[in-house]
């Protein structure tokens, strides 16, 4: 039976599709897993250091939010720490140097007075022994000498106490205040640092979501980065052929402008079947169940792929 020429002409545009259906080639597309950069605190976007399409390296400046509140909080924490440290140092050192000088001067005067009274006592004793004066004067001299010696003992005790640090319980309280102030300063430093965000990965700046001067809510991504190794291929296999693929298996991926086919390893096979997604334009497979499969290239080959690019996958 001969086929009419008009029917053959009508089939010519469909020959590539007919040929593909006879091969084991599967259809898919390139997917990207983006890294979103955000700050844990809200604020006005002050600087945006990158633009869409730029290549960034890990550690490069990405964006900065206004920092007035955090800067003031850090200054307050610094002042409180200095005050707590000064209080602790004062308790550890005892009296101030000026107070110690006063006590030492009083002790010197008392020692001089005691020396003078001792000399006077010896003179009175000789006079009483020679019966030049009465014994009452001897009692007075002895009393003065004892008072001066007692004054020396008192001032020496005061000086010893003044040179001591504060009581242990007071020192513990002061040390705890210093530790709390230091922790508050560390927290203020961390909060201030969170307002400046750097790139966490090498890659391409895929998109920016805010402009300078706009308010950025806490945790809202300001930009997204696509690391070169974060590209993968997602394709669909008819459910009856699912048994022919397994995780870790190598497939060959080809696309327009990619050059030689790219070997990739299957990293994920969906546990559920679904109907053919709209992105797969195949009348033969429409309304049939397929299973989504993902495959990942090595880092060197990943840069040859563009997100959204259609590909052909050969198991």
């Amino acid at each position: 039976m001969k086929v009419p020429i008009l029917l053959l002409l009508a089939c010519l545009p469909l020959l590539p599709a007919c040929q593909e259906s006879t091969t084991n080639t599967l259809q898919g597309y390139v997917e990207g897993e983006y890294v979103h950069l955000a700050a844990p605190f809200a604020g006005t976007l002050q600087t945006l250091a990158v633009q869409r399409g730029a290549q960034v390296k890990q550690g490069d400046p990405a964006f900065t939010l206004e920092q007035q509140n955090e800067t003031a909080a850090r200054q307050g924490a610094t002042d409180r720490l200095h005050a707590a440290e000064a209080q602790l140092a004062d308790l550890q050192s005892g009296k101030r140097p000026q107070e110690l000088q006063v006590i030492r001067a009083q002790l010197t005067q008392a020692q001089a007075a005691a020396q003078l009274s001792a000399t006077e006592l010896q003179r009175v004793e000789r006079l009483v022994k020679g019966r030049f004066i009465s014994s009452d004067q001897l009692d007075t001299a002895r009393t003065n000498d004892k008072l001066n010696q007692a004054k020396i003992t008192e001032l020496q005790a005061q000086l010893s106490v003044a040179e001591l640090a504060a009581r242990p319980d007071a020192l513990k309280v002061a040390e705890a205040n210093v530790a709390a102030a230091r922790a508050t300063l560390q927290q203020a430093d961390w909060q201030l640092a969170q307002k400046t965000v750097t790139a966490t990965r090498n890659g391409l700046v895929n998109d920016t979501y805010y402009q300078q001067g706009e308010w950025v809510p806490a945790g809202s991504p300001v930009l997204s980065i696509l690391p070169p190794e974060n590209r993968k291929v997602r394709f669909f296999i008819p459910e009856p052929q699912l048994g022919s693929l397994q995780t870790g298996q190598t497939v060959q991926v080809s696309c327009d402008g990619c050059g030689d086919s790219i070997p990739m390893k299957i990293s994920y096979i969906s546990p559920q079947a679904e109907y053919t997604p709209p992105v797969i334009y195949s009348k033969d497979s429409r309304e049939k169940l397929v299973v989504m499969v993902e495959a990942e290239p090595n880092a060197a080959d990943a840069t040859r792929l563009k997100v959204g690019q259609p590909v052909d996958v050969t198991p």
Side-chain angles (χ1 to χ4, degrees):
M1 178 180 177
K2 296 183 178 180
V3 181
I5 296 178
L6 291 178
L7 181 59
L8 289 174
L9 293 176
C11 288
L12 285 176
L14 302 178
L15 285 179
C18 296
Q19 292 174 355
E20 289 180 2
S21 62
T22 61
T23 64
N24 199 24
T25 301
L26 303 172
Q27 298 181 4
Y29 58 93
V30 178
E31 181 76 9
E33 293 183 344
Y34 300 96
V35 176
H36 295 85
L37 299 187
F41 303 106
T44 302
L45 183 60
Q46 188 173 15
T47 59
L48 184 61
V50 296
Q51 299 296 330
R52 287 189 300 176
Q55 292 287 340
V56 294
K57 295 182 179 180
Q58 183 177 354
D60 287 349
F63 67 90
T64 302
L65 303 181
E66 53 85 17
Q67 305 170 348
Q68 286 83 350
N69 184 49
E70 287 74 17
T71 302
R74 186 190 183 283
Q75 184 60 49
T78 301
D79 294 340
R80 287 190 292 273
L81 176 59
H82 291 166
E85 290 176 339
Q87 183 181 13
L88 176 60
D90 182 65
L91 293 175
Q92 290 174 334
S93 62
K95 294 285 186 178
R96 291 178 297 177
Q98 294 82 356
E99 295 174 329
L100 293 175
Q101 289 178 1
V102 171
I103 298 175
R104 292 190 182 103
Q106 292 175 348
L107 178 59
T108 300
Q109 293 176 358
Q111 290 171 339
Q115 185 177 2
L116 181 62
S117 64
T119 302
E120 179 65 17
L121 176 60
Q122 293 175 359
R123 187 183 70 83
V124 172
E125 287 177 343
R126 289 194 302 269
L127 292 174
V128 170
K129 188 176 181 180
R131 296 182 180 182
F132 295 104
I133 60 176
S134 65
S135 60
D136 293 339
Q137 294 182 358
L138 178 59
D139 294 337
T140 301
R142 287 174 177 172
T143 301
N144 290 335
D145 184 61
K146 289 181 179 179
L147 290 175
N148 290 331
Q149 294 296 333
K151 186 64 175 179
I152 292 175
T153 303
E154 178 186 357
L155 290 174
Q156 287 175 338
Q158 290 183 7
L159 182 61
S160 298
V161 172
E163 290 175 343
L164 292 175
R167 293 177 301 175
D169 54 349
L171 287 175
K172 288 182 179 180
V173 172
E175 290 171 353
N177 290 337
V178 171
R182 187 172 289 113
T184 302
L185 178 58
Q186 291 176 350
Q187 184 181 27
D189 285 336
W190 180 83
Q191 292 178 349
L192 179 61
Q194 298 309 302
K195 287 301 190 73
T196 300
V197 179
T198 58
T200 56
R201 301 279 296 275
N202 299 339
L204 172 73
V205 178
N206 178 70
D207 202 358
T208 58
Y209 309 114
Y210 292 92
Q211 299 294 325
Q212 293 184 10
E214 291 184 329
W215 177 261
V216 181
S220 180
V222 175
L223 58 95
S224 59
I225 296 176
L226 178 62
E229 65 274 15
N230 278 25
R231 294 175 175 88
K232 61 184 178 182
V233 165
R234 180 174 292 173
F235 61 96
F236 298 84
I237 183 172
E239 194 272 339
Q241 303 178 23
L242 181 60
S244 63
L245 296 181
Q246 59 183 356
T247 304
Q249 179 178 339
T250 300
V251 296
Q252 297 295 325
V253 176
S254 59
C255 58
D256 296 337
C258 293
D260 298 335
S261 61
I262 303 173
M264 299 187 186
K265 287 187 177 181
I266 296 177
S267 59
Y268 173 77
I269 298 177
S270 175
Q272 296 179 345
E274 56 186 282
Y275 285 104
T276 305
V279 73
I280 305 301
Y281 301 102
S282 174
K283 293 183 179 180
D284 294 336
S285 60
R286 197 172 300 278
E287 301 300 330
K288 293 182 180 181
L289 288 176
V290 294
V291 176
M292 186 191 72
V293 180
E294 293 181 352
E296 297 180 354
N298 57 49
D301 291 330
T303 56
R304 298 164 58 186
L305 302 172
K306 302 294 183 183
V307 176
Q309 184 179 25
V311 297
D312 294 327
V313 181
T314 304

